[in-house]
Amino acid sequence: GLEVTYDSDLPVGRGLGLSAAARVAGLLAANALTDGGHEPDALLSLAVQLERHSDNAVPAMFGGFRVIVETDEGKGVTHIGLDPPEELKLVLLIPEFSMPTQETRQKLPERLTRNQAVHNIGRAALLVAALCERRFDLLQIATEDVLHQPARATIFRPMYQIFQAARDAGAHGVYLSGGGPTIAAFATERFDEIAGAMREAAAARGVEASTRICALRSRGAEVQLLGDL
């Protein structure tokens, strides 16, 4: 007796967490239809079970920047949120092709060297500190990665050239969003110039793509009844 429709410009298979957003939306809707009997943490547990990992489910549920640690062999989730700086935005380059996460994950290395582990751990910590202190000048270093981006660049070969184009146009830091192929650039100004530079760099290498400039939201998913719209 239920009919569900999806109305959004969030693209499928682009590394933007659509599957997690859809599952969180479904759980919130079901909770509302059953008079809200489940607390957010219980709904999060269900979302993680459905999604099979927490990295997208937690921010979809609660919003903001989220530091997430899975505990109890993946059965539990500990997370803490940071309010995003108001002046910081994301400029997204969204290619027309998709990179399914399950396929690209097979490209990831099974083992890391000690130096690679230290590299990424240090930059993860630096990213959190830079956002808290609004040290946007540190975001370029903080978004450097040796774990997943080099592997996925073997599929999305112009990736690093597009990164450089965004930086040259004024982006503070650039990274591959999720499993890709969306590229995200942190910026506090020159948003249109950065978007244009990314599109031009992609087009010059045969990649059709669109761009979007996104504000960062500190609130998570919400239920709005038709009467509230």
Side-chain angles (χ1 to χ4, degrees):
L2 293 176
E3 181 180 345
V4 177
T5 59
Y6 166 74
D7 182 13
S8 173
D9 57 0
L10 191 64
V12 178
R14 302 296 195 276
L16 292 170
L18 176 63
S19 62
R23 287 174 172 130
V24 166
L27 287 167
L28 288 179
N31 193 48
L33 288 170
T34 55
D35 299 323
H38 294 82
E39 295 297 322
D41 283 334
L43 293 175
L44 175 63
S45 178
L46 292 171
V48 172
Q49 289 179 43
L50 292 169
E51 186 70 3
R52 293 184 292 180
H53 48 81
S54 57
D55 54 354
N56 288 330
V58 175
M61 180 74 75
F62 294 101
F65 285 112
R66 290 279 155 182
V67 179
I68 305 158
V69 176
E70 294 189 357
T71 58
D72 192 21
E73 297 182 350
K75 297 178 182 178
V77 178
T78 297
H79 61 95
I80 187 169
L82 308 171
D83 286 331
E86 292 182 1
E87 64 270 39
L88 192 64
K89 294 185 179 181
L90 282 175
V91 182
L92 303 180
L93 177 91
I94 307 172
E96 293 298 319
F97 67 93
S98 65
M99 289 173 58
T101 302
Q102 291 182 344
E103 295 180 17
T104 61
R105 193 171 286 157
Q106 295 175 6
K107 295 280 187 178
L108 302 184
E110 294 185 2
R111 296 177 182 272
L112 297 176
T113 66
R114 180 184 299 144
N115 286 343
Q116 287 173 321
V118 170
H119 180 284
N120 266 39
I121 291 169
R123 280 156 178 78
L126 179 62
L127 177 63
V128 175
L131 292 172
C132 287
E133 296 297 321
R134 287 171 164 74
R135 286 291 307 275
F136 304 133
D137 58 305
L138 299 178
L139 290 178
Q140 178 172 334
I141 297 174
T143 50
E144 293 174 347
D145 165 78
V146 295
L147 171 57
H148 84 110
Q149 290 183 164
R152 286 171 166 135
T154 63
I155 300 173
F156 188 6
R157 296 190 181 278
M159 185 184 78
Y160 286 118
Q161 290 92 335
I162 299 171
F163 282 11
Q164 191 59 52
R167 294 189 193 104
D168 291 344
H172 298 303
V174 194
Y175 62 94
L176 186 69
S177 178
T182 294
I183 292 174
F186 284 119
T188 50
E189 59 182 359
R190 297 175 56 85
F191 308 113
D192 291 330
E193 291 89 340
I194 294 167
M198 295 169 78
R199 284 196 309 272
E200 289 177 10
R205 293 161 177 83
V207 176
E208 295 185 14
S210 60
T211 51
R212 192 173 305 168
I213 301 167
C214 300
L216 304 175
R217 175 185 165 105
S218 59
R219 302 194 315 275
E222 298 172 310
V223 174
Q224 288 187 316
L225 301 179
L226 288 177
D228 296 335
L229 298 177

